[in-house]
Amino acid sequence: MPLFGLGTWKSDPGLVYDAVQVALEAGYRHVDCAPIYGNETEVGQALRDAFDNGGVVRDDVWITSKLWNDAHRPEDVRPALEETLEDLQLETLDLYLMHWPVALEPGIDMPESPDDFLSPDDVSIADTWHAMEALVDEGLVRHIGVSNFSVPKLRTLMGEVDRAPEMNQIEMHPYLQQPEMLEFAAEQGLPLTAYSPLGSKDRPDMMKAEDEPVLLEDPTIVEIAEAHDASPAQVLISWALHRGTAVIPKSTTPAHIRDNIAATELELSDAEMDMIADLDRHRRYLQGDIWTMEGSPHTTASLWGE
Ligand SMILES: NC(=O)c1ccc[n+]([C@@H]2O[C@H](COP(=O)([O-])OP(=O)(O)OC[C@H]3O[C@@H](n4cnc5c(N)ncnc54)[C@H](OP(=O)(O)O)[C@@H]3O)[C@@H](O)[C@H]2O)c1
């Protein structure tokens, strides 16, 4: 998988078509999608047009999508994938991820009450995983993985299934460096993808804390950026790549899209990596509060394993 890719959460219909086209022209060869982002049809059209125009070959682009939480029942997994393939106008996906270790009643995008959740007794993570394994056997997806999984959840799943996850996509940036996960993943040979690598400043206000630090304005990041005549975003992306993780910054602004891929050429020194290592404060921008509402089968401790 190309380690650098384009994120598409919050990339509004009307903007995401151009974003994907600009990205492919700039050299991006990895696009991160999900049906819950509400824009797979437009992403799919941009990909289709790029393939038809001969600008890019399908096999040269890595396309990831995700199974939403309301399709965890084994019988719902294949129909959910088929809808994503249709929207993206693809025969196969390169990678299909279980978006969260959380199951919702069919048809529920976001829970409004505890009744909207399915309990692990109704449908376990392993049940859903087995249905995803069948998609690989059928040739509909090339690889399967998970997202937002903690080390304990990964250990449990790996102990229960034949085919180990081939990816865990999680929030990682200098304020949330996740050293235990990095160590575990290295031991297991499990690749990681860093989401919200720039601090996800455009996420909805209801997901923001009043006092939250702004990663792109961190003085250490800004200082390192100035030393390289680079942007803070480029330093954050380069840092993720130097740690051996994939990284999928979202942008719909053409100048940012081009700026971000140029980060793949930015070399950080060991001293600069050490300076950034000191910034860790275990700060999650995406707390997953909605999954841990009172009465739900999940708590903050069970969700994140901490
Ligand atoms: N698996 C999951 O549960 C999960 C959760 C969150 C995210 N993700 C994936 O990870 C991707 C990235 O995370 P994210 O969308 O949360 O946030 P992010 O990539 O950390 O930040 C996106 C924000 O940064 C801005 N930005 C991008 N490039 C910039 C630059 N060079 N200079 C200044 N600002 C810049 C964007 O604005 P412009 O658009 O104007 O450039 C946008 O406001 C998502 O889009 C999604 O594909 C997955």
Side-chain angles (χ1 to χ4, degrees):
M1 185 180 87
L3 290 182
F4 177 79
L6 179 73
T8 60
W9 177 38
K10 311 170 268 69
S11 298
D12 293 335
L15 291 179
V16 75
Y17 179 92
D18 285 344
V20 172
Q21 291 254 320
V22 169
L24 292 174
E25 276 164 27
Y28 286 60
R29 292 294 177 266
H30 169 180
V31 184
D32 183 74
C33 315
I36 195 65
Y37 302 161
N39 56 13
E40 284 197 324
T41 310
E42 198 168 324
V43 172
Q45 194 57 50
L47 292 169
R48 169 58 34 215
D49 290 349
F51 301 148
D52 286 352
N53 295 342
V56 198
V57 178
R58 163 67 187 100
D59 284 348
D60 288 348
V61 186
W62 181 280
I63 303 164
T64 299
S65 187
K66 313 186 188 91
L67 177 75
W68 187 239
N69 304 357
D70 71 335
H72 273 217
R73 297 184 316 175
E75 64 272 30
D76 296 335
V77 170
R78 195 176 198 276
L81 185 259
E82 283 170 349
E83 194 175 334
T84 272
L85 287 176
E86 192 182 326
D87 287 348
L88 290 172
Q89 302 190 43
L90 299 174
E91 302 282 316
T92 57
L93 279 181
D94 297 285
L95 177 63
Y96 199 42
L97 303 176
M98 196 185 307
H99 206 144
W100 287 89
V102 170
L104 299 174
E105 290 282 354
I108 301 290
D109 281 352
M110 290 292 162
E112 289 175 5
S113 88
D115 295 340
D116 290 336
F117 288 83
L118 293 174
S119 80
D121 294 333
D122 297 325
V123 51
S124 71
I125 286 170
D127 293 337
T128 308
W129 185 257
H130 289 310
M132 291 175 68
E133 288 177 319
L135 302 176
V136 182
D137 297 335
E138 288 181 77
L140 293 171
V141 305
R142 296 196 176 115
H143 303 274
I144 50 175
V146 295
S147 175
N148 296 297
F149 269 52
S150 63
V151 170
K153 281 207 162 59
L154 285 168
R155 277 193 206 283
T156 304
L157 181 63
M158 286 170 167
E160 289 173 342
V161 298
D162 297 332
R163 197 189 293 266
E166 293 175 89
M167 177 58 68
N168 188 22
Q169 183 183 117
I170 50 173
E171 181 178 340
M172 281 191 291
H173 43 68
Y175 292 165
L176 184 70
Q177 301 196 14
Q178 308 236 40
E180 300 82 13
M181 177 63 77
L182 231 61
E183 195 181 327
F184 174 78
E187 272 165 31
Q188 301 289 331
L190 169 68
L192 298 175
T193 298
Y195 78 58
S196 302
L198 310 181
S200 196
K201 64 179 174 170
D202 59 343
R203 70 198 190 288
D205 286 343
M206 58 175 279
M207 296 174 77
K208 290 183 176 168
E210 265 177 29
D211 60 337
E212 69 178 34
V214 181
L215 188 55
L216 282 164
E217 293 171 11
D218 182 278
T220 302
I221 300 296
V222 171
E223 182 190 328
I224 295 171
E226 283 170 358
H228 287 273
D229 202 12
S231 68
Q234 288 175 330
V235 172
L236 295 168
I237 294 164
S238 176
W239 172 82
L241 295 172
H242 276 71
R243 297 203 321 155
T245 68
V247 60
I248 46 172
K250 170 266 170 186
S251 179
T252 47
T253 303
H256 289 166
I257 293 172
R258 296 188 190 101
D259 188 64
N260 293 348
I261 194 172
T264 57
E265 307 286 322
L266 175 62
E267 287 292 334
L268 299 178
S269 68
D270 291 346
E272 287 166 336
M273 290 299 286
D274 288 345
M275 285 164 70
I276 300 175
D278 286 343
L279 300 180
D280 197 7
R281 52 181 86 175
H282 203 68
R283 173 83 197 201
R284 276 184 203 286
Y285 286 115
L286 270 76
Q287 307 268 358
D289 293 343
I290 195 158
W291 316 127
T292 60
M293 67 170 67
E294 206 174 330
S296 104
H298 311 280
T299 61
T300 303
S302 71
L303 183 64
W304 300 120
E306 55 197 34

